[in-house]
Amino acid sequence: MHKEYICSICGYIYDSEVGDPDSGIEPGTPFENLPDDWVCPVCGATKQEFELV
């Protein structure tokens, strides 16, 4: 199922269909499967700062 998570700090949206190629995260990677040390590519917030859209 397609899910999006939003950074509560800057508003960046992590879309699992897009991934985060600049950080080496392949398209199709669920948010839950991101590495624990992954951070928002815009502001550097941790995964804990993200909420399900």
Side-chain angles (χ1 to χ4, degrees):
M1 184 166 131
H2 176 85
K3 293 183 182 176
E4 294 179 345
Y5 286 80
I6 188 168
C7 177
S8 63
I9 305 298
C10 72
Y12 169 81
I13 294 180
Y14 176 79
D15 182 343
S16 61
E17 288 186 351
V18 176
D20 181 11
D22 292 340
S23 297
I25 306 298
E26 295 291 323
T29 303
F31 185 82
E32 296 83 3
N33 292 357
L34 294 174
D36 290 336
D37 62 353
W38 179 85
V39 295
C40 176
V42 175
C43 73
T46 64
K47 283 176 64 176
Q48 289 74 27
E49 300 293 339
F50 281 74
E51 300 171 358
L52 182 61
V53 173

